[in-house]
Amino acid sequence: ADADEASGIQLEAEAAAAYQKMAAAAAEDGVALVLTAGYQDADARSAAYETQKQQYLEKGKTEEEAASLAADIQPPAECNDHGTGYAADILSTDYPTRDTGFDTTRAYEWLTAYAAEKTWRENAPENAAHLPATHGLGVVFEPWHWRYVGVENALAIRASGLSLEEFLALQKAS
């Protein structure tokens, strides 16, 4: 379903409706969220990874080094959660760039304070940057990368203080 009519970015219907509701709530607080990525098919996910890898090859890295470095920033297609339809890259009109500086914005502050109430959870918070790239979220701090998890899960994850992946691993172990 269209999560954002202007861009045509797609998410699973439930996630799309939740994003629209969250963006409207943010707007009421004077924060203009911008959805920059949602569902990506396998070809789009592969192309994104290959582009990142190529950039490292052009800098003189070996194939193995380039693959490893690329995976830290852009997960390979099979590990990229944008294929689920529940992952979203969210920025703001005043900071439209995917870099760690987004965590200094009012939009990021709003998201960290209210997103759990709106059924969203930051995928890889800064304190979880030690997680391996193979978990599909990358090891690079991505303050723009969020995942729809439903309100009950979002609140439980926030209360736990764990990252999404750490929370899921704990749930699986119990």
Side-chain angles (χ1 to χ4, degrees), residues 112-154:
T112 55
Y114 299 108
E117 295 168 16
K118 309 297 180 196
T119 69
W120 291 83
R121 178 68 188 169
E122 185 178 8
N123 258 357
E126 195 164 19
N127 65 359
H130 64 278
L131 294 170
T134 54
H135 73 347
L137 304 177
V139 297
V140 173
F141 174 47
E142 296 181 334
W144 60 87
H145 193 68
W146 296 77
R147 193 172 195 288
Y148 173 79
V149 293
V151 68
E152 186 177 313
N153 288 333

Side-chain angles (χ1 to χ4, degrees), residues 51-121:
T51 298
Q52 189 68 51
K53 184 176 151 187
Q54 187 60 38
Q55 289 174 357
Y56 283 112
L57 289 171
E58 288 170 5
K59 291 179 180 176
K61 301 293 184 189
T62 66
E63 183 77 20
E64 187 177 312
E65 290 169 334
S68 176
L69 289 166
D72 285 350
I73 295 170
Q74 180 64 53
E78 66 276 8
C79 299
N80 186 333
D81 66 347
H82 278 292
T84 67
Y86 293 102
D89 288 353
I90 303 170
L91 293 167
S92 62
T93 55
D94 61 340
Y95 201 100
T97 307
R98 286 184 192 132
D99 65 38
T100 55
F102 180 65
D103 75 349
T104 65
T105 66
R106 184 156 180 259
Y108 179 74
E109 183 180 318
W110 189 93
L111 284 165
T112 55
Y114 299 108
E117 295 168 16
K118 309 297 180 196
T119 69
W120 291 83
R121 178 68 188 169

Side-chain angles (χ1 to χ4, degrees), residues 7-23:
S7 66
I9 291 174
Q10 303 275 305
L11 290 169
E12 283 292 330
E14 189 178 352
Y19 172 77
Q20 291 168 351
K21 189 174 179 182
M22 183 172 71

